[in-house]
Amino acid sequence: MFDTLFKRNTANIENLTASQAKALYGNSDVVYVDVRGADEIARSGTIKGALRAPLPGLANFAKPQGGGLLPAADSGKKIVIVCASGNRSGIACRQLADMGYPSVANLQGGFGQWVASGGPTER
């Protein structure tokens, strides 16, 4: 009865290694989103082409119905979230899933692992 009254979120939240995330790079159906602050990104860079949507204001950038910085929830795109270590990106994945985004992924180990794997970066 609980599940009937309160539908549980069935979004697919994946945990990706840097190698797995890098293998997706260049796919037009994958969007990378960096949820770190502007100061962190200025110091270390980010994934080349990643959208920048700091975690504290993520809901302002993610409009599930469309019209936000992130694609609409029904766009069919996978959203790969990155932060420094994988902690904030995990929180962001849950927030997006709760907003109705069906395919979100957490880059385990964060941006440092992306760099270590040889993933493309920019400042």
Side-chain angles (χ1 to χ4, degrees):
M1 181 169 168
F2 181 84
D3 287 339
T4 303
L5 293 173
F6 303 99
K7 183 171 173 61
R8 292 179 186 254
N9 190 309
T10 58
N12 180 20
I13 297 176
E14 294 179 78
N15 286 307
L16 298 177
T17 65
S19 295
Q20 291 169 320
K22 193 170 109 181
L24 296 172
Y25 190 81
N27 182 331
S28 63
D29 289 328
V30 178
V31 176
Y32 295 82
V33 178
D34 194 325
V35 296
R36 296 176 296 153
D39 58 330
E40 287 179 87
I41 293 172
R43 283 193 307 267
S44 64
T46 189
I47 294 173
K48 187 173 183 179
L51 301 176
R52 299 169 188 195
L55 181 59
L58 184 60
N60 297 322
F61 297 101
K63 305 290 184 200
Q65 70 281 7
L69 178 66
L70 276 64
D74 65 357
S75 68
K77 296 189 182 286
K78 176 189 293 282
I79 299 175
V80 178
I81 308 293
V82 63
C83 69
S85 67
N87 186 33
R88 284 175 286 178
S89 54
I91 293 167
C93 284
R94 176 54 49 210
Q95 285 182 4
L96 292 177
D98 289 347
M99 293 172 76
Y101 284 85
S103 182
V104 293
N106 181 11
L107 176 56
Q108 295 178 313
F111 183 67
Q113 288 301 308
W114 177 264
V115 170
S117 76
T121 64
E122 67 182 10
R123 289 204 183 254

